[in-house]
Amino acid sequence: MTRQLITSALPYINGIKHLGNLVGSMLPADVYARYLRQRGQEVLYICATDEHGTPAELAAQEAGLPVAEFCAQQHDAQKAIYEGFGLAFDYFGRSSSSQNLEITQTIARELKANGFIEERAIRQVYSVADGRFLPDRYIIGTCPHCGYDKARGDQCENCTRVLDPTDLIEPRSAISGSSDLEVRETKHLFLLQSKLEREVAAWVEEHGKDWPVLASSIARKWLTEGLQDRAITRDLDWGVPVPADTWPELAAEGKVFYVWFDAPIEYIGATKEWSDAAPEGEVRDWKSWWYDVDEAVRYTEFMAKDNVPFHAVMFPATLLGTRDKWKKVDFLKAFNWLNYYGGKFSTSQRRGVFTDAALELLPADYWRYFLMAQAPESDDTSFTWELFTATVNKDLADTLGNFVNRVLSFSRKRFGDEVPAGTEAGEAEQRLGEQIAELLATYEQHLDTLQFRKAAQALRALWSAGNVYLEDKAPWLQIKTDPDAAALTLRTAMNLIHLYAVISEPFIPSSAKSMRAAFTLADDTRTWITPEEARTLPFLPAGTPFTVPPVLFAKITDEDQAAYRERFGGDEAE
C-alpha cells in the first residue's frame, strides 16, 4: 500500500498564529491525516516552526532575548497550542535544527556542483538609519502592480506578485520607517531558476494537472511570466550559514541562506529529526519517505495561496537541480484566505482571533468544525461571530449534541443503563441504513479528494439523518403503546451515535472520543466503518452498558456573542 507523506506550511516563529493560519494549512492537513490513519493507511504528518529570517531577529530583540532562546520559547508555545487543537503531528520540528542545517547545506553544494548556484555581486538596499543591509521583506512600499501601499520587498501580500525591493514605489525601512536608504554593493548566491525553467514547467504540467485550480493557476502564472534567478542568501546573524568549505568568502562575511530556501527543506529536515528522535528499540528511516521512493510514497502539501509559488516552483526547482532522487509533491492543496469581517487577519496588527485566545474561549472542537465547514477552498471566506455562533449552535449543539443527549437520557430513563433489545429492524431501519450508507460514501469521497467543506456538509447530513429518524419514530410516543418498538428505535439511534463517534473523529476528535466512551464494548478497536457495514448498524448489541456523557456542545448565547465581539472587534459594516 502506498504510504502517505503529509506536510503543512511551517508556522512562522514571530508570534502566536491566528485562525486564518490554522485553517490554511495545519488543520486541514490534520483532518486528512486522521482520516487516512483511520482508513488503515501508513501516514507521516510532518510540520515545524519556521525560525529563520529578519522577523525572528527583530521579535527577539523586542522581547529582550537572544534569538535562539526566543525561538525555543516560541516553538514550545506554539507546539502547546497546536496540541490543544488536537493536531496529531507525527513530528513537530524546528527549522533551526542541526538536521535542517546539514541537509540545506548539502543541497546547496549539489546545486553548485551542477551549475545551478552562482555567486554574484549585487547592489542591495542599505538603511543608513538602521546601520544595516535590509532583507527584502524589511523594505516596504507601494506595489507597482496593484498599488498596495504596504507591499514587502520580497512579495506583495495583496496580489501575491514576487518583487524585488527596487520595484517598490516610495520604499522605506520596516524597522525604523526611514526612507534614508542607499544602494550598496555586496555579494550573494543566486539559484539559477532560469536554467531550470523548462524542467520545472514540464514537472508542473505532469503533476499539477490534478491540483486544485487555485494551486495550479498560481504555478502556471509564475511559469508564464518566466522564472527569474533568485538570491538565496541574506546578511543576517540568524539562519543556516553558507558552508565555508564551498563559499569561504561569503561564509567569512556571515552570509546565511534565505529563509525561503531553507524552510521547505525543513520538511525533509524535520523528518530526519523524527527519525533521530526514535525511542530505543524503534527504527525510523527518514530517507524511506524522501529519497528514491517513486510511487511508494504519495506526498501531499497543505498551504495558503501566498505560499504556493515557493512550494510549486522554487522548492521543486531546488530539488530538481540537485539531480538527486528527492521526493517532490504529488498533490498541493492550496487555500484562499480566511478574513475577519471582510479585512485580513494579521499577526503583526493583532487583527482577528488568535489561536491561544480561541482555546481560552471554547473547546477545540468548536473551532475545528467551524473552520473546516467554512474552509476557504474556492474563494476567500470571512469569519464573523454571527456565522460562528449560528454554525456551532445549529450543527454541533442542536443537530449532533442534542441527538446524543436525547437518545441516551431517554433510554436510560425508560430502559436502564444498557442498550435495549426491542423488536427486529423493520422497513424504517432499512431505509435509514441505505441513506446512511449513501451519505457515508459521499463523505468518504469528499475526504479522499480533499474537499473539506463538502465533507463537512456530508458529515452534517449524516447527523441530520439520525434526527429525522428519531422524529419520525418518536420513541417518546412509542413507549406508551409499544415499548419494544421504542427499544428498537433507541437501539438503532445508539448505533448511529457509535457510528458518528467513529466517522466524526477527523473533524471533532475530542467529542468523538466522548461519544465512543459512552458505550462499554468488549472489543471497540474498529477504526472505521464502511458504507456497506453501516447499512445494518450492527455494532452495539442489546445489553451493552452505556453512560450519558456530559453535554458535548453548549450553545453560544447572545450575551456570549456580544462579549466576544466587544473583546475582539467585528462589525458587519466593516
Side-chain angles (χ1 to χ4, degrees):
M1 181 181 291
T2 301
R3 292 174 292 137
Q4 303 286 339
L5 175 63
I6 298 171
T7 64
S8 55
L10 310 186
Y12 199 66
I13 199 67
N14 65 334
I16 301 303
K17 304 298 105 177
H18 53 66
L19 295 181
N21 295 126
L22 187 67
V23 75
S25 59
M26 292 175 284
L27 180 55
D30 181 73
V31 171
Y32 187 55
R34 284 178 174 275
Y35 168 69
L36 292 178
R37 291 189 191 110
Q38 286 188 249
R39 298 300 305 273
Q41 302 256 14
E42 184 178 357
V43 176
L44 186 66
Y45 177 22
I46 294 292
C47 192
T49 38
D50 181 2
E51 301 187 7
H52 293 141
T54 303
E57 290 188 355
L58 295 176
Q61 181 180 345
E62 184 177 338
L65 294 171
V67 65
E69 182 179 345
F70 171 81
C71 288
Q73 289 184 5
Q74 288 297 311
H75 170 83
D76 290 344
Q78 290 199 30
K79 183 179 180 182
I81 289 171
Y82 303 143
E83 288 173 352
F85 274 99
L87 302 186
F89 304 116
D90 287 288
Y91 196 82
F92 187 68
R94 303 181 60 189
S95 69
S96 61
S97 68
S98 59
Q99 291 88 344
N100 191 42
L101 184 151
E102 174 191 347
I103 296 171
T104 298
Q105 290 185 340
T106 296
I107 285 176
R109 292 187 188 100
E110 292 173 344
L111 288 166
K112 180 181 185 297
N114 295 330
F116 296 119
I117 286 182
E118 72 177 23
E119 186 177 324
R120 293 179 182 175
I122 65 168
R123 295 175 64 79
Q124 186 176 343
V125 175
Y126 183 89
S127 171
V128 176
D130 301 314
R132 61 182 294 172
F133 283 104
L134 294 180
D136 294 352
R137 67 178 290 119
Y138 269 75
I139 306 163
I140 57 176
T142 300
C143 175
H145 302 289
C146 70
Y148 180 59
D149 64 357
K150 293 183 180 64
R152 301 192 308 256
D154 60 346
Q155 186 181 26
C156 176
E157 289 184 343
N158 188 57
C159 69
T160 76
R161 292 285 286 268
V162 174
L163 303 170
D164 284 318
T166 53
D167 295 333
L168 294 173
I169 301 167
E170 298 181 352
R172 59 195 182 277
S173 167
I175 302 171
S176 62
S178 173
S179 58
D180 186 6
L181 308 178
E182 297 178 356
V183 178
R184 299 183 181 182
E185 187 172 285
T186 185
K187 290 183 178 179
H188 281 286
L189 299 180
F190 278 72
L191 177 64
L192 305 184
Q193 294 185 134
S194 60
K195 294 177 67 173
L196 290 159
E197 182 173 342
R198 289 186 179 180
E199 291 180 57
V200 174
W203 179 83
V204 169
E205 183 64 28
E206 179 182 357
H207 295 275
K209 60 181 181 294
D210 297 323
W211 297 353
V213 172
L214 178 62
S216 61
S217 62
I218 292 174
R220 292 191 175 98
K221 177 184 176 184
W222 262 45
L223 290 165
T224 299
E225 293 173 354
L227 296 190
Q228 304 299 312
D229 298 338
R230 187 81 172 165
I232 57 168
T233 50
R234 295 293 187 269
D235 294 281
L236 296 172
D237 296 326
W238 178 243
V240 174
V242 170
D245 59 3
T246 311
W247 294 282
E249 181 182 347
L250 297 187
E253 294 175 4
K255 307 285 188 185
V256 300
F257 284 108
Y258 174 40
V259 63
W260 267 116
F261 183 74
D262 84 85
I265 296 172
E266 167 59 7
Y267 297 136
I268 307 173
T271 309
K272 190 172 189 301
E273 292 175 58
W274 163 79
S275 180
D276 292 346
E280 185 176 352
E282 180 180 342
V283 177
R284 296 175 178 174
D285 181 6
W286 68 275
K287 282 192 173 181
S288 72
W289 290 91
W290 282 102
Y291 194 79
D292 197 17
V293 292
D294 293 330
E295 302 301 315
V297 172
R298 176 175 168 81
Y299 177 23
T300 306
E301 292 178 345
F302 290 79
M303 71 202 64
K305 60 185 175 183
D306 54 333
N307 286 339
V308 169
F310 300 100
H311 288 79
V313 177
M314 185 173 177
F315 187 35
T318 298
L319 297 181
L320 287 167
T322 66
R323 301 307 188 220
D324 247 335
K325 298 179 180 180
W326 291 110
K327 179 65 180 178
K328 290 168 283 293
V329 64
D330 293 299
F331 192 86
L332 196 158
K333 176 64 175 180
F335 290 84
N336 288 284
W337 285 318
L338 176 69
N339 293 320
Y340 186 76
Y341 283 90
K344 290 182 180 179
F345 278 86
S346 173
T347 300
S348 59
Q349 299 175 23
R350 295 293 297 178
R351 173 180 168 79
V353 185
F354 285 71
T355 51
D356 56 346
L359 290 178
E360 291 174 8
L361 295 180
L362 293 164
D365 283 355
Y366 289 61
W367 302 103
R368 287 179 63 105
Y369 176 78
F370 170 80
L371 291 171
M372 296 315 302
Q374 303 296 329
E377 292 180 289
S378 57
D379 296 290
D380 291 349
T381 58
S382 189
F383 178 95
T384 69
W385 287 109
E386 293 78 11
L387 179 60
F388 178 72
T389 299
T391 302
V392 167
N393 288 352
K394 181 179 179 182
D395 294 359
L396 295 179
D398 286 344
T399 305
L400 178 60
N402 189 47
F403 177 79
V404 172
N405 184 263
R406 289 171 71 195
V407 169
L408 298 183
S409 296
F410 184 78
S411 187
R412 184 179 63 179
K413 180 179 179 181
R414 295 294 187 171
F415 295 102
D417 294 331
E418 294 182 351
V419 175
T423 59
E424 292 295 318
E427 291 184 7
E429 287 70 37
Q430 184 177 356
R431 289 194 303 271
L432 175 66
E434 294 295 327
Q435 181 186 16
I436 293 295
E438 182 178 344
L439 289 171
L440 182 52
T442 301
Y443 178 58
E444 289 181 346
Q445 178 187 3
H446 292 322
L447 284 174
D448 286 336
T449 55
L450 289 82
Q451 298 182 77
F452 294 103
R453 289 186 69 150
K454 290 182 178 180
Q457 292 169 5
L459 182 60
R460 182 169 59 246
L462 282 157
W463 299 340
S464 296
N467 282 274
V468 171
Y469 170 77
L470 194 66
E471 290 296 323
D472 287 347
K473 295 297 291 288
W476 49 90
L477 298 178
Q478 290 177 314
I479 195 71
K480 298 176 181 179
T481 57
D482 191 347
D484 284 342
L488 166 64
T489 299
L490 292 169
R491 188 183 81 231
T492 303
M494 289 186 194
N495 270 280
L496 283 176
I497 293 171
H498 181 267
L499 171 76
Y500 297 160
V502 175
I503 65 172
S504 302
E505 184 179 334
F507 283 82
I508 49 171
S510 179
S511 304
K513 184 177 180 180
S514 295
M515 284 189 284
R516 194 158 185 169
F519 303 102
T520 306
L521 285 168
D523 180 19
D524 192 20
T525 57
R526 177 180 296 274
T527 61
W528 196 253
I529 297 172
T530 67
E532 189 59 36
E533 291 169 330
R535 290 181 192 278
T536 54
L537 300 172
F539 304 107
L540 290 179
T544 300
F546 73 89
T547 58
V548 181
V551 174
L552 292 177
F553 302 99
K555 280 194 171 186
I556 299 172
T557 67
D558 291 342
E559 291 76 14
D560 293 332
Q561 184 186 136
Y564 300 156
R565 288 183 60 176
E566 181 177 358
R567 175 177 173 182
F568 296 97
D571 189 330
E572 291 286 12
E574 289 184 18

